[in-house]
């Protein structure tokens, strides 16, 4: 009884916020709003009061409607839920927003092993041990970037797990474009670059089981509000943020919502489309590149991707090799 | 490494139908290879896609009580396999630890369960945490840290417990 009631209260509040966000800047009729949330008109103000208190600029007109003005950079799970309602055939997003954690990927992996279903999303305002590939760190200063991990349980063979890299980097690019109008370029395999600097990075951790995948955790870091001084000396000349490129301070919640919408769209369409989108945004296809791989340093022309998403490299001797792991630099 | 240990490796290769074996341990580097033809040619032509565990010791058949009562037809023909292999489910790069500075997931002599993560295979920047998917003791690490592995390549030999 108790948990069911709490869940539906959350769902009602999410529906209210979703409707207000969808009509941001306008006033909604109270009766319509109450119907959307399944509550009485008399309960609208008290239901929304905590959100007003938290900083959402909700306006109650005595005789008229209710409206939401542009909110500051705050977020809550109800906002994300309300703006990303469950869709048929796709994972229903279950957001968990934390003030601080060591690594959102660690939280998601732990929940994955406990059997949580696909759609669990964990974001943190700050990571104390944000990770990249091979234990490299991902700088995660407070409230500057979107640091988020998505739990997926894709019906992919273990050998096809690389498709997640292509799909996720394209979805992250879609989200950045939806929010800011910028289309980042993708550096193989999955760094998002703007003007030669890194805007976002991905860390995907999967757990094969037999021939398939038990789960995959897609960790994404997008630099949203960083000023130059928010980056360390080591990465300042290599990194950028949406603010540094556009001069606009975007809300992290807006980036998260755009990201979840982008995953919904990409997951519901054939992989070949994501592969084509990837190739179209690729910084490196057709270019001469240097690859540091476990088989040594390789030079050649980046030709394209094979079906699994691996890079095809034509070496200087004309031989074509399939590269599944490594770091790439354009020459 | 003495002759006895090398013989044990040869036995392991024979029993699991391996054509190549490479081991680096301290300053010892051992590399063994069986060419095409010869008696192993037939085992090399076995179906290419290996299951995640190449040679699982059938646990029910191994328990004497079950073996006695089980009808003969249910006993697998290749039952007397002393060791199991954890093999790579994909092409990628083999890592024994989560980062270069951290300890290996497992060491020889360590007990593992089905759920124990034994290594990472990186493929297309997906870090795949490989679970033992079998119960036993790690006998040998059969792949080199930071080196590429092929689909079906044995990564660890495991003595079932």
């Amino acid at each position: 009884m108790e948990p069911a009631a709490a869940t539906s209260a959350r769902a009602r509040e999410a529906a209210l916020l979703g409707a207000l966000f969808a009509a941001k800047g306008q006033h909604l009729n109270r009766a319509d709003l109450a119907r959307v949330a399944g509550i009485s008109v008399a309960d609208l103000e008290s239901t929304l009061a905590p959100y007003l208190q938290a900083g959402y600029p909700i306006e109650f007109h005595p005789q008229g409607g209710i409206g939401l003005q542009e909110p500051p950079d705050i977020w809550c799970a109800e906002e994300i839920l309300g703006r990303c309602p469950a869709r048929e055939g796709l994972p229903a997003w279950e957001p968990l927003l934390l003030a601080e954690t060591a690594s959102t990927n660690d939280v998601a992996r732990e929940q994955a092993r406990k059997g949580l279903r696909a759609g669990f999303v964990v974001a943190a305002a700050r990571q104390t041990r944000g990770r990249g590939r091979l234990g490299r760190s991902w700088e995660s200063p407070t409230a500057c970037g979107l640091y988020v991990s998505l739990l997926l349980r894709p019906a992919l063979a273990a050998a096809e797990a690389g498709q997640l890299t292509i799909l996720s980097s394209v979805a992250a690019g879609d989200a950045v474009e939806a929010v800011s109008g910028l289309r980042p370029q993708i550096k193989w395999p999955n760094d998002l670059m703007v003007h030669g600097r890194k805007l976002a990075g991905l860390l995907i951790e999967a757990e094969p089981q037999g021939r398939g995948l038990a789960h995959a955790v897609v960790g994404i870091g997008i630099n949203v509000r960083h000023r130059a001084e928010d980056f360390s000396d080591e990465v300042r000349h290599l990194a950028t943020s949406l603010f540094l490129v556009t001069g606009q301070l975007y809300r992290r919640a807006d980036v998260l919502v755009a990201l979840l919408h982008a995953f919904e769209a990409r997951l519901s369409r054939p992989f070949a489309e994501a592969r084509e989108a990837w190739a179209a945004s690729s910084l490196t296809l057709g270019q001469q590149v240097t690859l540091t791989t476990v088989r040594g340093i390789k030079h050649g022309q980046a030709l394209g991707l094979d079906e699994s998403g691996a890079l095809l490299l034509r070496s200087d001797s004309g031989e074509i090799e399939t590269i599944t792991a490594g770091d790439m630099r354009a020459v | 490494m003495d002759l006895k240990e090398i013989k044990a490796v040869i036995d392991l290769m024979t029993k699991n139908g391996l054509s190549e074996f490479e081991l680096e341990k301290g300053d010892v580097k051992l590399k063994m290879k069986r060419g095409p033809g010869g008696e192993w040619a037939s085992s090399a032509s076995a179906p290419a896609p290996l299951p995640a565990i190449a040679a699982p010791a059938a646990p029910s058949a191994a328990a004497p009580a079950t073996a006695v009562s089980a009808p003969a037809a249910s006993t697998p023909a290749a039952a007397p396999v002393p060791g199991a292999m954890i093999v790579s489910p994909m092409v990628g790069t083999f890592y024994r630890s989560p980062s270069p500075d951290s300890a290996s997931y497992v060491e020889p002599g360590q007990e593992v369960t089905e759920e124990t993560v034994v290594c990472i295979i990186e493929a297309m920047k997906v870090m795949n945490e490989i679970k033992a998917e079998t119960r036993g003791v790690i006998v040998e690490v059969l792949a080199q840290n930071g080196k590429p592995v092929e689909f079906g390549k044995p990564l660890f030999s495991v003595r079932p417990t």
Side-chain angles (χ1 to χ4, degrees):
Chain A
M1 192 75 191
E2 190 80 34
T7 309
S8 62
R10 192 187 199 213
R12 283 197 294 271
E13 290 164 28
L16 274 180
L17 287 176
L20 287 170
F21 266 94
K24 200 169 65 185
Q26 299 161 32
H27 290 148
L28 292 172
N29 179 288
R30 289 189 187 226
D32 291 344
L33 204 48
R35 202 174 312 119
V36 162
I39 60 173
S40 70
V41 171
D43 287 339
L44 273 175
E45 291 202 17
S46 62
T47 306
L48 285 169
Y51 297 94
L52 180 65
Q53 213 156 30
Y56 286 91
I58 302 168
E59 294 173 343
F60 301 95
H61 291 260
Q63 253 70 57
I66 298 177
L68 173 75
Q69 297 305 315
E70 182 61 37
D73 184 38
I74 55 173
W75 61 14
C76 62
E78 289 80 1
E79 178 193 335
I80 308 302
L81 266 180
R83 298 176 70 188
C84 304
R87 288 197 197 170
E88 190 74 29
L90 287 165
W93 305 118
E94 186 54 57
L96 173 68
L97 306 177
L98 303 170
E100 180 183 304
T101 192
S103 146
T104 56
N105 261 36
D106 289 349
V107 176
R109 284 195 305 167
E110 196 183 313
Q111 295 303 324
R113 293 199 176 118
K114 286 183 186 162
L116 221 66
R117 56 179 179 68
F120 175 68
V121 176
V122 54
R126 174 173 182 253
Q127 294 186 112
T128 52
R129 291 181 61 197
R131 292 184 289 119
R133 223 172 120 255
L134 304 180
R136 292 170 198 165
S137 76
W138 181 265
E139 292 186 6
S140 311
T142 307
C144 286
L146 174 65
Y147 319 118
V148 63
S149 297
L150 279 59
L151 169 58
L152 302 176
R153 297 189 184 275
L156 287 175
E160 298 170 329
Q163 292 189 5
L164 286 170
T165 299
I166 302 300
L167 187 137
S168 304
S169 52
V170 167
D174 293 343
V176 166
E177 187 173 16
V179 166
S180 69
L182 282 177
R183 182 78 217 180
Q185 290 188 294
I186 300 174
K187 192 181 85 165
W188 187 87
N190 59 354
D191 285 336
L192 264 56
M193 312 292 289
V194 173
H195 303 152
R197 288 167 181 244
K198 192 151 152 177
L199 178 74
L202 281 82
L203 174 65
I204 305 177
E205 295 178 294
E207 200 171 278
Q209 192 160 48
R211 302 273 192 89
L213 292 178
H215 69 254
V217 168
V218 179
I220 302 177
I222 302 178
N223 298 332
V224 180
R225 301 166 70 90
H226 298 60
R227 289 148 206 274
E229 58 268 29
D230 292 319
F231 292 110
S232 71
D233 293 345
E234 290 77 49
V235 306
R236 191 170 299 135
H237 61 292
L238 303 170
T240 191
S241 71
L242 287 179
F243 172 72
L244 287 171
V245 179
T246 66
Q248 299 280 317
L249 282 168
Y250 293 101
R251 297 179 73 231
R252 287 166 299 141
D254 289 350
V255 181
L256 176 54
V257 166
L259 186 68
L260 298 181
H261 288 160
F263 267 92
E264 288 171 8
R266 292 294 175 189
L267 284 169
S268 58
R269 292 204 291 263
F271 173 67
E273 275 185 39
R275 195 176 61 212
E276 280 160 28
W278 190 96
S281 321
S282 174
L283 187 62
T284 24
L285 290 192
Q287 305 224 341
Q288 290 294 318
V289 296
T290 298
L291 274 166
T292 309
T293 76
V294 286
R295 292 183 177 100
I297 292 177
K298 297 184 182 295
H299 304 280
Q301 187 188 14
L303 289 183
L305 299 176
D306 73 4
E307 305 248 301
S308 71
L311 181 78
L312 301 171
L313 183 79
R314 180 161 52 210
S315 69
D316 298 341
S317 61
E319 226 176 296
I320 294 174
E321 275 191 84
T322 307
I323 312 282
T324 57
D327 282 333
M328 176 157 72
R329 261 197 327 272
V331 182
Chain B
M1 173 165 267
D2 61 24
L3 216 60
K4 213 169 117 189
E5 282 180 89
I6 292 173
K7 175 144 190 330
V9 171
I10 293 171
D11 286 347
L12 203 69
M13 290 174 75
T14 312
K15 276 164 187 154
N16 293 287
L18 303 180
S19 55
E20 267 188 80
F21 180 89
E22 219 177 323
L23 170 73
E24 251 187 300
K25 200 173 167 186
D27 50 8
V28 177
K29 190 170 178 181
L30 178 72
K31 194 170 179 176
M32 293 198 274
K33 200 169 183 175
R34 291 292 302 237
E39 61 183 276
W40 284 13
S42 60
S43 65
S45 66
L50 294 171
I53 304 301
S60 62
T66 324
V68 170
S69 61
S74 76
T75 313
V81 175
M85 289 286 177
I86 301 170
V87 304
S88 179
M90 61 191 67
V91 179
T93 306
F94 172 77
Y95 293 107
R96 290 194 57 196
S97 63
S99 73
D101 311 327
S102 50
S104 296
Y105 287 106
V106 291
E107 294 291 350
Q110 187 175 329
E111 268 191 63
V112 295
T113 69
E114 288 84 349
E115 293 300 308
T116 308
V117 174
V118 292
C119 64
I120 283 179
I121 307 285
E122 178 184 14
M124 285 295 297
K125 212 175 171 175
V126 177
M127 313 306 280
N128 293 283
E129 295 177 298
I130 308 300
K131 288 183 294 185
E133 295 193 16
T134 187
R135 202 172 271 272
V137 174
I138 298 287
V139 177
E140 200 83 71
V141 185
L142 304 171
Q144 261 186 290
N145 189 43
K147 297 286 181 202
V149 291
E150 301 297 335
F151 181 83
K153 151 106 181 154
L155 306 173
F156 300 91
S157 58
V158 180
R159 189 176 66 243
T161 50

